[in-house]
Amino acid sequence: MSPVSSPALPAAARPARAVPGGRRRRDPDLRRGVLGVLVFLGGAELVGRAEVIDPKVLPLASAVLARAAGLAADGAFLAHVGATLLAWAAGLALTVAVAVPLGLLIGSVPPVETAVRPFVEFLRPIPSVAVIPLAMVLFPGKLELKLVVIAFGAVWPVLINTVYGLREVDPVAKQTLRAFGFGPLSVLGRVSLPSTAPFIATGVRVASGIALILAISVELMAGGQSGIGVYVLEAGSSEDGIEMIIAATVWAGLLGLAFDLLFTRAERRLFRWNVGRTGGAA
């Protein structure tokens, strides 16, 4: 289960200068992260050059990076990437469309939570990859198959974060609105949903990585005409198969990193008051 953000806090509770301070604190982390990647690549290159591992078994890091750079200009590979991204985006949108309303319902109506919790706790531990064979039978269309598997695996962080976010809403704020005659839907829209939004955003960020993993996993297991997973399957039979497979995997990792950075930046811009309260933590 993904980590949950801190409870919502009004914007006026923290000065705006807390955000730049958090940004300064993140700079050393970024430099250390880049340094760690460079050290890893340098170590892998040295191990390969020393022939500790046969380059035919594990290609040199420099060769893999060169191959990955070449894929950026390969129209066929980019078409595969586009197919994966289409499934990722559609699957993530379906996940949010299902998980957020369901989470709001479960978190707002205690009897519903009591009735639904056994099903949630039963389904949540099931590995998403395990449902792919069954989904292949029920949904023969490749895009439909990806959407169903992505939604099944990625729904949980969004759903659970939404439910827990509702629990952290200030009860005084809700009682105040009720005292002024506002109904349940007005309280939900004016207080509960805005306060829960940072929790939902964190869940969506976690779900985006899960969605990418599952999109590629479905392509690897079910095949198809396009997708990064399909490219990996096809590359396995070529002469430079291992190098091409690892290069494609590098691109999958870069896409996951890019999505995480994109969603993190969006969180900080949309919820500056929450970033300020948590000291700039993502």
Side-chain angles (χ1 to χ4, degrees), residues 30-53:
L30 176 61
R31 290 195 293 268
R32 284 192 290 266
V34 173
L35 179 61
V37 172
L38 294 177
V39 169
F40 172 79
L41 293 176
E45 183 71 15
L46 290 175
V47 169
R49 295 289 180 182
E51 297 187 354
V52 175
I53 301 177

Side-chain angles (χ1 to χ4, degrees), residues 94-113:
L94 177 61
T95 296
V96 174
V98 171
V100 173
L102 184 59
L104 292 175
L105 176 63
I106 294 174
S108 302
V109 185
V112 174
E113 180 178 7

Side-chain angles (χ1 to χ4, degrees), residues 49 59 67 79 128 153 209:
R49 295 289 180 182
R67 175 76 67 172
S128 304

Side-chain angles (χ1 to χ4, degrees), residues 187-199:
V187 173
L188 178 65
R190 293 172 180 267
V191 175
S192 298
L193 187 57
S195 297
T196 309
F199 292 80

